[in-house]
Amino acid sequence: MPTWTALTHTTGREAAEALAEAGEDLTPEPVGSGVFEIEDGSDRWEVGLYFTEAPDEVGLALLAVAWDAEPFAVSELPEVDWVAHVRRELSPVEAGRFFVHGGHDADKVPEGAEALLIEAAMAFGTGHHATTKGCLLALDRLIAEGVAPQRIVDIGCGTAVLAMAAARSFPVIVLAGDIDPQAVDVARANVIANGLDGRVECVEAVGFDHPLIENAAPFDLVFANILKQPLIDLVPDMARHLAPGGRAILSGILVTQAQEVIAAYAAGGLALERRDDLGEWSTLVVRRG
């Protein structure tokens, strides 16, 4: 079945979400939509509408004008088996003791590695992105240093790869929360596929705002691989939910944004312990005094 995409850009999340919602009233109706932040600190957002028949380009033009957005760029995509395509492209990732792989690469797991299975159909956030790999490397270093957290949570968990890595490393129940219910479903499926059912608890939550997470605080280790502004907005809650001496591993931060995040956390009483840059992305380890 052919697919058409219609992409535009606008300023601010609220405007982008409103534009995407308005796009659902077009005829023919889109089968899906997406809103994504352009991670360059500009507060620019991409809005995508997806169709299974050619969209009304006049309607799209009027929609863009009405919402003060750039003109939509419409493209017809070729028919592609995306799972097969991702499987071909999804090479295993080694991050210290951790080995993230799809089922098609199960025979490549090195002896002694902590293997984490993420299938191609659930491949976002698998470790192939430098932010996730940076978090896994930070966790690997903490383990090597003898750090042994008892209370762990993964905020914005995506596929739960970080929560699963922690559950493989420490004999504790790890909590994982995400604002997106679809991500939570994917996370739960991954937990079961990796034999960690009962070891990782996945919930739908905005930040720390869930009874299971609130009741488990304060935490010795928090993962937050999200984006710059949500990380900065999270500072007061992070300080409140992190135990004295506890650490947070933060990523989703461009190298050019790292100093701003470091300063915000320092102002909240969470000092930088380590910074590592991987390509254009930074991973920070901050610690509560």
Side-chain angles (χ1 to χ4, degrees):
M1 178 183 296
T3 303
W4 284 262
T5 65
L7 302 178
T8 186
H9 298 93
T10 189
T11 301
R13 179 172 183 168
E14 185 175 341
E17 290 178 343
L19 173 55
E21 184 175 355
E24 295 176 3
D25 294 330
L26 290 170
T27 303
E29 183 179 349
V31 295
S33 62
V35 174
F36 310 96
E37 184 176 16
I38 299 171
E39 298 170 351
D40 61 0
S42 66
D43 197 29
R44 297 287 290 168
W45 291 73
E46 180 178 274
V47 178
L49 303 174
Y50 308 97
F51 301 83
T52 54
E53 54 185 304
D56 176 6
E57 297 199 31
V58 173
L60 287 169
L62 292 173
L63 190 66
V65 170
W67 290 94
D68 195 26
E70 296 175 9
F72 278 91
V74 179
S75 302
E76 182 178 358
L77 301 180
E79 294 187 47
V80 175
D81 182 342
W82 288 108
V83 171
H85 175 75
V86 172
R87 182 176 287 120
R88 287 194 299 271
E89 299 296 324
L90 197 63
S91 57
V93 168
E94 294 186 69
R97 71 197 66 212
F98 303 106
F99 187 85
V100 184
H101 68 96
H104 56 292
D105 282 322
D107 59 340
K108 297 179 182 177
V109 178
E111 186 176 351
E114 289 289 357
L116 298 167
L117 170 66
I118 306 289
E119 289 294 3
M122 300 177 176
F124 63 92
T126 60
H128 292 71
H129 197 291
T131 62
T132 310
K133 184 172 183 178
C135 291
L136 289 171
L137 288 170
L139 174 61
D140 181 70
R141 283 189 293 267
L142 291 178
I143 296 168
E145 292 167 5
V147 174
Q150 298 300 303
R151 293 158 295 182
I152 306 170
V153 65
D154 183 0
I155 300 297
C157 66
T159 57
V161 65
L162 299 178
M164 293 192 298
R168 283 280 176 78
S169 304
F170 308 109
V172 299
I173 294 175
V174 179
L175 303 182
D178 201 286
I179 192 172
D180 182 352
Q182 183 179 0
V184 175
D185 289 342
V186 168
R188 287 174 177 152
N190 286 332
V191 167
I192 293 170
N194 281 272
L196 291 168
D197 195 20
R199 294 288 318 287
V200 178
E201 295 287 342
C202 304
V203 297
E204 185 180 342
V206 179
F208 292 92
D209 188 14
H210 188 281
L212 193 65
I213 296 175
E214 292 281 1
N215 292 337
F219 295 97
D220 306 307
L221 180 62
V222 176
F223 297 101
N225 181 15
I226 40 181
L227 293 170
K228 182 203 77 170
Q229 195 56 52
L231 282 173
I232 291 174
D233 295 341
L234 200 61
V235 168
D237 275 352
M238 185 72 77
R240 185 164 61 88
H241 288 88
L242 204 57
R247 294 173 173 86
I249 298 176
L250 313 176
S251 200
I253 312 159
L254 290 166
V255 169
T256 55
Q257 301 170 337
Q259 198 53 50
E260 186 177 353
V261 176
I262 292 168
Y265 275 78
L270 303 171
L272 179 68
E273 185 171 87
R274 181 171 177 134
R275 169 181 173 177
D276 289 282
D277 296 341
L278 193 59
E280 62 181 342
W281 299 94
S282 289
T283 300
L284 310 177
V285 179
V286 298
R287 187 172 185 177
R288 183 180 169 194

